[in-house]
Amino acid sequence: MDDIIVLVAVGEYYNQEIKDYYWDLKNSGFTIKVLTDEPSHYDINDISLYNRPIFNYFDKIHFSLKIVEEYGKNVIYMDGTSALPKHILTNISSRSESDFIYTSNWPKGNFYGYEDDPCFRYLFEYFRYKNIPIIDYPTILEQVMVFKKTINYKLINKELQILQTVFDYISVMNDNTYIRPFVLGSAEGLALSIVLTNNDIPFTKIDI
C-alpha cells in the first residue's frame, strides 16, 4: 500500500492507546507518521514532535495536510479509538474518487441537528458577519479521515486557519464542554466540512 497512515497522540493516555497499534502496522509494512509529545514510544524516523502547551484538535487536520504536501501521497488519519483493520486500510482510499473521504457523522446528524446548541452561537454570528451560507453542513466525525493526494491542501490550510479562530473562541467561552485538561478547537470536522463545501472541494462519506 502506497498510502501513509497518520496518528496523533498527545498525552500519556493517548500514547498508550495507539502505540501497540502503531507497532503492529509498522511491523506489517505500513508507512506511518505520528504527531506526538512522547516520541520514545515510536521509531524516531516516524515522529513529529508536538510541543504546544495546549493541544488543539485542528492540528490533526493540519498535520495530515502537511504530510500530503511533503510526500505527495494519500493520507489516512485515524484516532486511537478508531483503529481500522489492515484489510480496510489497504483499500479505503480507493473507495471514492473524491478528494476527501470520511466514515461517520456526529450523533445528531448534520449541522441543523446542532443549531440550538448554545456553544455554536458565536459560529452563527461569524456566518452572518462574513455572509457565509447557513446550511445543513455535513458533520464530519473526526475519527477516520482520508486526505487524497489531489486535495488542495494550501487552500484548505489557509481557510481553516481563519475559521479555526472562531472555534478556538468557542472553546474558551464554553465551560460546559471544555473541562480540564483544557483543549482548543474541538468540532474541527464541522469546520473542515464548511471549508470543503464553500470551496467546492468534493468529499464523500463511505460505510466501512
Side-chain angles (χ1 to χ4, degrees), residues 131-143:
N131 258 343
I132 295 173
I134 299 176
I135 61 176
D136 195 20
Y137 292 100
T139 53
I140 296 171
L141 189 64
E142 304 88 347
Q143 295 176 344

Side-chain angles (χ1 to χ4, degrees), residues 117-123 125 164-179 182-186:
D117 192 321
C119 76
F120 287 125
R121 64 188 183 275
Y122 305 109
L123 183 58
E125 289 180 16
Q164 179 179 335
T165 60
V166 180
F167 284 79
D168 288 348
Y169 186 72
I170 291 172
S171 303
V172 174
M173 300 298 289
N174 183 12
D175 289 337
N176 291 330
T177 302
Y178 298 90
I179 57 176
F182 192 76
V183 295
L184 289 169
S186 189

